[in-house]
Amino acid sequence: QVQLVESGGGLVQAGGSLRLSCAASGKIFSLNVMGWYRQAPGKQRELVASITRGGYTSYAESVKGRFTISRDNAKNTIYLQMNSLKPEDTADYYCMGVAVTTGNDFWGQGTQVTVSS
């Protein structure tokens, strides 16, 4: 079974950058799509970015031009490069993956991102 572990969160000033990593215990090639969700205090969880096995990416409108998702199949890891961070980006960020052939999904435990003014 696949296990996902996020890292790279922390405290950063507005305008700064962070790079989140999500390492999988198995081959991420087995996952058709992977992505990053976030949930801020008092708000619903939202999809921030996703990437398919073939490298197709999509982004929430609020992060377009600032965040970049990437996938390294050789390292079984996906990343979320976050630039020009804003206080409203403060949230817990979760890595997820879906194996379409089996209908199984997998979630990491989350990593905290705090952006100060």
Side-chain angles (χ1 to χ4, degrees), residues 32-98:
N32 299 96
V33 60
M34 298 186 70
W36 291 92
Y37 282 77
R38 69 183 181 186
Q39 186 166 25
K43 297 183 178 180
Q44 66 180 24
R45 183 173 295 186
E46 64 175 342
L47 177 63
V48 177
S50 64
I51 185 167
T52 69
R53 184 165 55 194
Y56 175 82
T57 60
S58 63
Y59 299 91
E61 186 66 28
S62 60
V63 306
K64 284 183 178 178
R66 300 189 298 120
F67 291 10
T68 303
I69 188 171
S70 60
R71 179 170 183 157
D72 189 334
N73 291 332
K75 298 176 66 175
N76 295 313
T77 303
I78 67 166
Y79 306 92
L80 185 67
Q81 178 66 47
M82 305 184 293
N83 298 326
S84 302
L85 283 163
K86 305 174 181 180
E88 49 263 44
D89 294 319
T90 296
D92 289 336
Y93 284 72
Y94 299 88
C95 178
M96 64 85 66
V98 178

Side-chain angles (χ1 to χ4, degrees), residues 3 14-15 28 36 49 56 64 73 89 101 103 106-108 111 114:
Q3 292 182 311
I28 63 171
W36 291 92
Y56 175 82
K64 284 183 178 178
N73 291 332
D89 294 319
T101 55
F106 307 90
W107 290 84
T111 185
T114 302

